[in-house]
Amino acid sequence: MPTVSVKRELLFRALGRSYTDEEFDELCFEFGLELDEITSEKDIISKEKGEEKAKGASDVVLYKIDVPANRYDLLCLEGLVRGLQVFKERINLPRFEKIIPAEGEGQRLIITEQTAQIRPHAVAAVLRNITFTKDRYDSFIDLQEKLHQNICRKRALVAIGTHDLDTITGPFTYTAKAPSEIKFKPLNQSKEYTASQIMDLYRTDSHLRHYLHLIENKPRYPVIYDSNGVVLSMPPIINGDHTKISLNTRNVFIECTGTDITKAKIVLDIIVTMFSEYCEKPFTVEAVEVVYPNGKTHIYPELAYRTEKVKPEYINKKVGISETPSSLAKLLTRMCLKSHVTGNGNQLEIEIPPTRADIIHACDIVEDAAIAYGYNNIQMVIPKTYTIANQCSQEDIADKLGMDISATNAVRIANPKTTEFQVARTTLLPGLLKTIAANKKMPLPLKLFEISDIVVKDPSTDVGARNYRHLCAIYYNKSPGFEIIHGLLDRVMQVMEVPPNEEKGYTIKAAEVQIFRFIGTNAYEICAKLISVLSGAAFFPGRCAEVFAKGQSIGKLGVVHPDVITKFELTMPCSVLEINIEPFV
Amino acid sequence: MAPSVAERLLERLDQAGVSGGLCSIEAAAEFGVDHQTLVGAVKSLQALGEVIEAEARTATRWELSPEGEEVLRCGSPEVRLFRSLPEEGLPQSEAMKLPGGSLGFSKAMANKWVRLDKGAPGGPRVLRAVLSVQDTVQEHLGQVRAGGAQGLPERERTELKRRKLLLEVTLKSYWIRKGSAFSTALARPETELTPEMIATGSWRRLPFKPYNFSSLGLPPACGHLHPLLKVRSQLRQIFLEMGFTEMPTDNFVESSFWNFDALFQPQQHPARDQHDTFFLLDPAEAPQLPPGYSSKVKKVHSQGGYGSQGYRYEWKVEEARKNLLRTHTTSASARALFRLAQQEKFTPVKYFSIDRVFRNESLDATHLAEFHQVEGVVADRGLTLGHLMGTLRQFFTKLGISQLRFKPAYNPYTEPSMEVFSYHEGLKKWVEVGNSGVFRPELLLPMGLPENVSVIAWGLSLERPTMIKYGIKNIRELMGHRVNLQMVYDSPMCRLDV
């Protein structure tokens, strides 16, 4: 969930009133936000770097507000305030207007075909006669960063560049060139670098190094030029220094390039709808014509308004309320979904503004109606759904006997977190041995068991692997106590009504223990070994038996091999039982 | 059989007469036994009732230290030095090598028995300053040894103690007297009733040793269930009481298709990142996806349908095939709902599951790479958000949580979605206890469920309520092989409703 930090004072000024922290927390809760933390820059620095470094930092109170991951329209102060003010019916949602300049007067962005292999999409727009202040400027930069981290998936799907339009001349060209052919002065640098040098320059940059991999190994890098060959940006890495915006910038050229056109359009819509309020003509955006390699053109931003028709009873039935159509329309309007009743009162027409890309189905409209109604005002009802409860039981018992637990049959993790967790376990024994090792201070004997699932590959299932329910028990004492573990097996079989006989019941038979040397030195390697050799070598020769049920092997019991005991840093003899109980559950 | 120490003690007390008493130290010396043995006998007699009276006393005794013993034998260092010093004296360096050494020299100097002639030819010289000396230290030690420590002035004793020649030993002893039920015939009370006593009736006349009710009983030989198992069976019980059927969840390995795509979670969703999910190297891909259904899922993602705009991106089957360790049990719910949709006629269902899930999280005191998810699902015609809230209220009330409120939230596969908060009396604030919502139509309709069927669902972790219930601060003590067995042994039964 993205977190937006806003200055409390600015927020309250924009909301036109102040709140106590509790009141504001309550408002957030109702609206689906979360006031996560009340802090200040000073607090943050002092927490991260120590009090010394925090000296002189601002102690202006900051609210850190968690915003739902699909509400890109709430990722900055401007959007949050607009959302809350509309919710509280203090303002109406502004209508955003796209101004298309006369033929030949507007900006154009020409996409060349070289971009197809790396980052094929680009959209753009212009904010005219904008007035920045320090706070507005900071918010503008912050919003881009929030979008980059969330919907843009760390610039992989979309990257945003904003430029001072008065420093450049259109039409602009979005193309891709070999790294050696691109040369410009990157943002906030003092000299020119080639693209390859830029990659080296940012390899250690704490922020930008995370984006280098997106283009690094490609033969051509994306780049945007103006008509005089000035580099605007090399997306998704860095803008040029030439076009950088400042507090004095009046006209902003915004370009979004990416691999996902839907998201690029959403991102552009969000930026212009959030900041066009500071334009001389508020809430207006100047369109840019994008020319595709095939010669076709398209006007951006889309700023599309869409109308959805939903029946009032659909909303009432989904939420469990009985509001009149007009009151539902009012509820939705409070959620920035301007609505009115049409027909003979049995239809709602809902206008989805360009800020609400999250509304993709009627169920999203239903949720907004419910939020505006107040979740906690909805009457709780127990469903009349009549059902009879069943506990889980397994079918197809026969084919679950006799599976192959070997190293080659273990499921391996591609991105393991720790060396201990590189395969899904195929046996429970190592876990119990490690549990004993971690609890050596406990009085003897230690008698532990675990009934849990193990995983093995199985090409016959739809995902290629399956679980088996295992029972593992261990007896750890001054003497191995084989008879105790054996007695446990007998008791387990007795309560499962499996008699001790060869044909229909269970038997145990001496199992051959292959002589086996431990090469590894740590417990993990031993685990890996155990997985491969639970077939026998974990046991002391002559002290291991195989358990058969209905003629098929289901596991083993025996005295643990002294080498295994010492490798697990244990000191006492122990005996274990591990069987597959799938056939019995 | 020789009489026991206790019996000898009773005999001895009887001789001492009614008014007389006995010191335990003297008695031990008299019997030739260790004092501790005698104290044991006193304790065992006390346990019989009023046979004897024993009054605890503390006595201080002075003893010679090993150094003190040596001084008593050979004389004090200062005297030994004085006596070894020839009349013409010795150079200081050689005087130091005399018996008594430097300690004797400094003491003798302090006593002004010797003097140092610094101007002597050939360096400083030690000379006698008095004609003769008396070894009072040795005499005093002798007096202590003879038992006359009390006769020594306090000041002298302290000085000898300071010189580590004397030790002050504190001795606990008893002053023993006859008790009100004194008898030399030691009728040892019986400890337990025996079959013979019952048969012969001897229990009628035999005295019985009283039980010590304040001690702990013998711990029973029994097994101990892990707290997670206890909480789990309580939760199962709650679901079963509410008419929920357990879903099969026996597949830790899941395809991205069932874990994400079937749940209408887009392929670029951050949860599908390497940083959040464990993907598999082997088997890396699911061999099969449900043929007709997966193409419907593809369509709803990339183009929409069923009244949805879709996510409008290029859906890739390779992405859906990627195998992983399931990140939630909702994948199992999706499979169960798909099976339900394949039935000829829809029947309402209530499902639940409690099983293991895996997340590639940063590990800390409250996060593990694997934990248990508890999930409930109801599918029926015409279910509302109010029904979801009503079901949640029933469920959480049975869990002992009655004060609930609901916060709008976002989940990719539910809409509307609500986080469930409960008021925590200890923390004095609202804390999140679960997440819930109504499954999106984009998830249900491609499966083939009838259009008027709604599915409500909620989930929570098993570890969180367990940690709260059992006061466990570190999840690593609860899950994994570093589990604290003492905690498992000691944890009480689980009653969630109190």
Side-chain angles (χ1 to χ4, degrees):
Chain A
M1 209 189 295
T3 304
V4 179
S5 252
V6 293
K7 290 180 182 163
R8 185 172 66 181
E9 194 199 331
L10 278 184
L11 177 71
F12 289 173
R13 201 190 306 154
L15 287 171
R17 61 159 286 189
S18 53
Y19 292 82
T20 64
D21 293 339
E22 291 72 27
E23 283 168 346
F24 191 73
D25 183 50
E26 199 60 34
L27 174 63
C28 285
F29 194 95
E30 196 188 345
F31 191 59
L33 303 169
E34 201 169 327
L35 180 54
D36 184 48
E37 205 185 345
I38 302 167
T39 181
S40 71
E41 215 163 281
K42 197 173 194 169
D43 273 359
I44 296 170
I45 298 174
S46 107
K47 236 180 250 169
E48 283 171 4
K49 298 176 181 164
E51 249 169 70
E52 203 49 37
K53 300 255 177 177
K55 268 185 193 159
S58 154
D59 45 15
V60 170
V61 179
L62 293 178
Y63 273 175
K64 288 197 153 188
I65 300 169
D66 281 350
V67 173
N70 61 342
R71 289 299 298 270
Y72 317 119
D73 60 320
L74 302 176
L75 289 176
C76 60
L77 176 85
E78 290 72 14
L80 269 175
V81 166
R82 215 177 286 158
L84 289 171
Q85 293 292 75
V86 173
F87 184 60
K88 285 284 165 196
E89 297 176 278
R90 293 192 199 108
I91 60 166
N92 292 323
L93 182 72
R95 196 168 177 92
F96 305 100
E97 200 187 333
K98 174 163 65 178
I99 294 174
I100 300 173
E103 186 73 35
E105 283 177 22
Q107 298 299 334
R108 283 199 307 158
L109 176 64
I110 299 153
I111 306 179
T112 73
E113 60 189 84
Q114 285 81 5
T115 61
Q117 296 308 313
I118 173 148
R119 215 172 167 81
H121 305 292
V123 295
V126 172
L127 289 176
R128 279 280 172 205
N129 297 315
I130 195 166
T131 309
F132 280 123
T133 62
K134 179 77 173 75
D135 287 324
R136 290 172 184 183
Y137 178 88
D138 289 347
S139 178
F140 188 62
I141 303 295
D142 272 358
L143 173 66
Q144 292 174 48
E145 182 53 22
K146 288 280 177 313
L147 291 168
H148 274 151
Q149 292 308 315
N150 293 285
I151 180 175
C152 303
R153 298 290 294 118
K154 301 190 173 125
R155 303 193 187 180
L157 302 182
V158 187
I160 309 158
T162 54
H163 312 277
D164 188 334
L165 182 59
D166 299 323
T167 64
I168 39 181
T169 326
F172 307 102
T173 307
Y174 174 44
T175 184
K177 284 189 164 185
S180 56
E181 292 172 32
I182 303 171
K183 194 172 187 191
F184 66 102
K185 188 159 93 173
L187 188 64
N188 300 330
Q189 296 292 334
S190 49
K191 60 171 195 164
E192 289 199 338
Y193 295 86
T194 65
S196 326
Q197 290 170 329
I198 288 171
M199 300 301 262
D200 288 333
L201 182 66
Y202 292 130
R203 206 163 305 282
T204 54
D205 187 285
S206 65
H207 179 54
L208 295 177
R209 68 191 160 98
H210 301 293
Y211 309 121
L212 304 183
H213 73 97
L214 294 171
I215 58 169
E216 185 146 36
N217 296 316
K218 306 278 162 116
R220 290 164 179 273
Y221 291 177
V223 62
I224 303 177
Y225 292 102
D226 84 342
S227 59
N228 299 321
V230 174
V231 171
L232 276 69
S233 66
M234 184 175 86
I237 311 297
I238 189 83
N239 286 354
D241 192 65
H242 181 91
T243 62
K244 77 172 166 204
I245 59 167
S246 68
L247 294 185
N248 302 321
T249 298
R250 294 286 290 157
N251 299 299
V252 184
F253 180 74
I254 303 161
E255 38 87 4
C256 300
T257 57
T259 53
D260 183 322
I261 183 68
T262 310
K263 294 221 159 45
K265 289 185 213 171
I266 295 172
V267 168
L268 184 66
D269 278 351
I270 291 293
I271 295 178
V272 299
T273 51
M274 294 300 117
F275 283 88
S276 56
E277 87 172 74
Y278 301 131
C279 290
E280 198 169 74
K281 279 192 217 153
F283 309 114
T284 63
V285 187
E286 183 180 305
V288 171
E289 185 181 55
V290 173
V291 184
Y292 294 106
N294 63 7
K296 286 192 177 160
T297 63
H298 198 288
I299 299 289
Y300 290 106
E302 289 218 322
L303 281 185
Y305 284 80
R306 176 174 104 238
T307 304
E308 293 280 353
K309 286 184 178 144
V310 178
K311 293 220 178 293
E313 69 259 30
Y314 176 82
I315 297 177
N316 279 330
K317 271 166 79 180
K318 290 288 175 192
V319 181
I321 51 178
S322 45
E323 291 295 288
T324 61
S326 62
S327 108
L328 287 175
K330 216 169 156 188
L331 291 175
L332 289 170
T333 303
R334 280 175 53 206
M335 299 302 290
C336 296
L337 302 175
K338 202 173 155 209
S339 305
H340 61 272
V341 186
T342 60
N344 43 10
N346 61 6
Q347 190 81 282
L348 285 174
E349 257 187 32
I350 301 139
E351 189 181 55
I352 317 296
T355 46
R356 295 298 307 273
D358 60 299
I359 306 282
I360 57 175
H361 190 278
C363 67
D364 299 300
I365 296 169
V366 169
E367 181 181 77
D368 274 14
I371 293 172
Y373 183 83
Y375 274 9
N376 296 293
N377 299 326
I378 299 169
Q379 206 194 342
M380 300 189 205
V381 183
I382 297 170
K384 293 201 169 66
T385 310
Y386 180 78
T387 53
I388 292 179
N390 279 311
Q391 301 191 46
C392 206
S393 66
Q394 312 279 349
E395 62 280 9
D396 61 333
I397 283 167
D399 70 358
K400 287 179 176 168
L401 288 164
M403 39 117 190
D404 165 30
I405 299 178
S406 64
T408 52
N409 215 28
V411 165
R412 289 192 292 154
I413 316 290
N415 52 337
K417 185 121 234 161
T418 60
T419 51
E420 271 182 308
F421 195 44
Q422 300 186 36
V423 294
R425 60 184 180 177
T426 57
T427 159
L428 304 178
L429 181 57
L432 286 189
L433 288 169
K434 285 195 274 180
T435 303
I436 291 184
N439 282 279
K440 278 191 284 196
K441 61 182 191 304
M442 300 298 292
L444 294 174
L446 284 171
K447 298 187 272 186
L448 305 183
F449 79 95
E450 180 171 4
I451 297 175
S452 208
D453 283 4
I454 60 99
V455 187
V456 289
K457 286 201 291 178
D458 180 351
S460 73
T461 66
D462 67 338
V463 294
R466 75 182 310 156
N467 286 18
Y468 284 96
R469 182 63 51 94
H470 267 205
L471 160 66
C472 184
I474 186 162
Y475 178 81
Y476 180 76
N477 201 358
K478 286 176 181 143
S479 69
F482 179 82
E483 67 287 358
I484 289 168
I485 279 297
H486 188 188
L488 175 71
L489 171 70
D490 294 336
R491 177 64 183 154
V492 167
M493 290 300 172
Q494 186 185 31
V495 297
M496 292 197 297
E497 296 187 276
V498 184
N501 66 50
E502 199 139 334
E503 265 162 45
K504 292 191 170 162
Y506 76 101
T507 50
I508 71 169
K509 290 177 190 163
E512 250 182 63
V513 173
Q514 57 203 83
I515 299 302
F516 149 86
R517 295 263 166 259
F518 287 100
I519 305 154
T521 51
N522 65 30
Y524 166 67
E525 283 172 61
I526 302 305
C527 289
K529 289 281 177 201
L530 274 182
I531 287 163
S532 64
V533 295
L534 200 70
S535 42
F539 295 100
F540 198 46
R543 300 273 187 277
C544 170
E546 194 158 9
V547 185
F548 292 86
K550 293 166 192 162
Q552 282 187 286
S553 169
I554 57 165
K556 289 223 163 58
L557 79 165
V559 176
V560 177
H561 197 287
D563 279 349
V564 177
I565 294 173
T566 47
K567 294 293 181 186
F568 275 88
E569 297 180 347
L570 297 175
T571 50
M572 299 285 164
C574 60
S575 50
V576 298
L577 162 71
E578 178 154 5
I579 53 169
N580 174 11
I581 57 165
E582 203 87 346
F584 313 111
V585 291
Chain B
M1 202 174 83
S4 71
V5 176
E7 281 162 337
R8 288 171 69 188
L9 184 62
L10 291 175
E11 286 293 329
R12 179 71 184 73
L13 270 177
D14 202 30
Q15 290 161 20
V18 187
S19 55
L22 207 55
C23 166
S24 61
I25 296 171
E26 287 165 15
E30 190 181 323
F31 297 167
V33 297
D34 189 58
H35 185 243
Q36 273 312 315
T37 313
L38 197 101
V39 170
V42 169
K43 292 256 156 98
S44 71
L45 288 171
Q46 276 181 312
L48 302 180
E50 304 295 314
V51 177
I52 59 162
E53 280 173 22
E55 185 191 332
R57 286 183 175 181
T58 314
T60 311
R61 215 176 63 196
W62 292 92
E63 276 181 7
L64 268 57
S65 70
E67 294 85 30
E69 294 284 357
E70 198 195 322
V71 169
L72 182 63
R73 217 167 41 244
C74 315
S76 65
E78 55 270 35
V79 169
R80 286 162 70 195
L81 181 107
F82 181 85
R83 290 188 177 149
S84 331
L85 194 66
E87 258 186 77
E88 66 279 16
L90 275 177
Q92 190 181 9
S93 55
E94 285 184 33
M96 291 299 173
K97 292 175 193 153
L98 292 174
S102 61
L103 178 65
F105 171 72
S106 58
K107 277 281 168 195
M109 281 292 284
N111 289 348
K112 298 205 166 64
W113 291 349
V114 295
R115 66 185 172 86
L116 192 61
D117 182 1
K118 287 189 182 157
R125 205 169 174 85
V126 183
L127 296 161
R128 286 189 183 187
V130 291
L131 286 176
S132 66
V133 298
Q134 197 184 354
D135 198 342
T136 47
V137 172
Q138 191 182 32
E139 283 165 19
H140 288 157
L141 289 177
Q143 194 181 340
V144 171
R145 161 52 65 80
Q150 298 309 318
L152 268 186
E154 173 79 30
R155 191 169 47 80
E156 301 292 337
R157 274 207 309 257
T158 318
E159 169 65 15
L160 290 175
K161 190 180 167 191
R162 199 183 57 75
R163 285 184 69 174
K164 298 202 171 68
L165 300 174
L166 272 190
L167 296 172
E168 193 175 16
V169 182
T170 312
L171 210 63
K172 290 210 166 106
S173 65
Y174 289 96
W175 184 249
I176 311 157
R177 276 194 302 249
K178 290 178 180 175
S180 57
F182 180 79
S183 158
T184 50
L186 185 61
R188 182 173 292 280
E190 299 296 334
T191 49
E192 292 300 352
L193 193 60
T194 63
E196 289 74 28
M197 291 173 194
I198 295 169
T200 62
S202 64
W203 58 268
R204 292 179 200 279
R205 53 184 170 74
L206 289 170
F208 283 87
K209 188 179 174 184
Y211 277 170
N212 176 9
F213 292 114
S214 59
S215 69
L216 290 175
L218 199 65
C222 66
H224 308 273
L225 287 179
H226 192 285
L228 281 176
L229 289 175
K230 296 191 227 189
V231 176
R232 194 171 96 141
S233 61
Q234 278 294 302
L235 285 164
R236 272 173 64 99
Q237 182 66 29
I238 291 171
F239 277 117
L240 292 170
E241 283 168 9
M242 291 174 68
F244 282 66
T245 284
E246 194 168 16
M247 283 184 273
T249 49
D250 56 338
N251 56 315
F252 294 165
V253 173
E254 191 54 279
S255 60
S256 291
F257 179 80
W258 286 108
N259 199 80
F260 296 123
D261 297 285
L263 295 170
F264 197 53
Q265 203 154 342
Q267 295 191 326
Q268 313 87 346
H269 194 276
R272 303 180 70 151
D273 208 279
Q274 294 270 331
H275 297 293
D276 289 272
T277 298
F278 290 114
F279 288 93
L280 297 192
L281 195 63
D282 183 25
E285 289 200 335
Q288 23 172 325
L289 302 181
Y293 173 48
S294 60
S295 56
K296 286 181 185 162
V297 169
K298 172 181 179 166
K299 183 153 183 268
V300 76
H301 277 249
S302 53
Q303 299 166 38
Y306 313 101
S308 175
Q309 303 279 311
Y311 292 121
R312 288 165 291 159
Y313 70 96
E314 196 191 334
W315 189 88
K316 294 189 179 118
V317 69
E318 308 82 69
E319 198 61 40
R321 275 188 196 279
K322 281 187 185 169
N323 268 337
L324 43 81
L325 292 181
R326 67 169 177 226
T327 63
H328 47 197
T329 49
T330 318
S331 56
S333 306
R335 284 175 180 270
L337 289 171
F338 180 66
R339 274 193 301 273
L340 177 67
Q342 307 316 301
Q343 286 181 13
E344 206 163 303
K345 189 169 172 290
F346 171 79
T347 47
V349 294
K350 292 184 204 154
Y351 289 141
F352 82 96
S353 65
I354 306 172
D355 209 345
R356 223 173 260 250
V357 298
F358 306 83
R359 304 259 172 100
N360 196 354
E361 303 228 28
S362 302
L363 311 178
D364 63 31
T366 54
H367 292 91
L368 279 184
E370 55 182 300
F371 60 96
H372 292 81
Q373 190 184 336
V374 179
E375 185 163 339
V377 178
V378 185
D380 199 355
R381 294 191 163 89
L383 290 177
T384 68
L385 205 51
H387 285 132
L388 171 61
M389 291 162 67
T391 308
L392 286 167
R393 185 173 60 182
Q394 288 298 311
F395 177 80
F396 280 101
T397 304
K398 280 177 177 282
L399 266 166
I401 297 170
S402 51
Q403 227 180 326
L404 289 187
R405 65 174 189 164
F406 302 91
K407 174 180 162 291
Y410 169 69
N411 296 318
Y413 43 91
T414 57
E415 187 84 12
S417 309
M418 39 175 60
E419 282 170 1
V420 189
F421 280 72
S422 102
Y423 191 75
H424 193 287
E425 288 294 343
L427 299 171
K428 296 268 173 256
K429 66 174 190 180
W430 292 88
V431 294
E432 193 192 331
V433 291
N435 207 341
S436 69
V438 182
F439 279 143
R440 295 190 70 99
E442 293 101 322
L443 186 166
L444 304 175
L445 297 176
M447 288 179 173
L449 285 167
E451 218 167 306
N452 56 356
V453 167
S454 292
V455 180
I456 57 178
W458 74 97
L460 56 149
S461 88
L462 177 64
E463 281 73 10
R464 186 122 173 233
T466 307
M467 287 171 79
I468 294 170
K469 170 79 195 167
Y470 289 101
I472 297 162
K473 296 277 182 293
N474 188 341
I475 197 167
R476 284 169 282 209
E477 275 188 27
L478 186 68
M479 265 288 267
H481 62 263
R482 274 185 284 168
V483 61
N484 179 350
L485 287 179
Q486 190 65 51
M487 176 278 290
V488 175
Y489 289 180
D490 294 345
S491 68
M493 67 185 282
C494 174
R495 290 207 38 208
L496 294 169
D497 55 338
V498 290

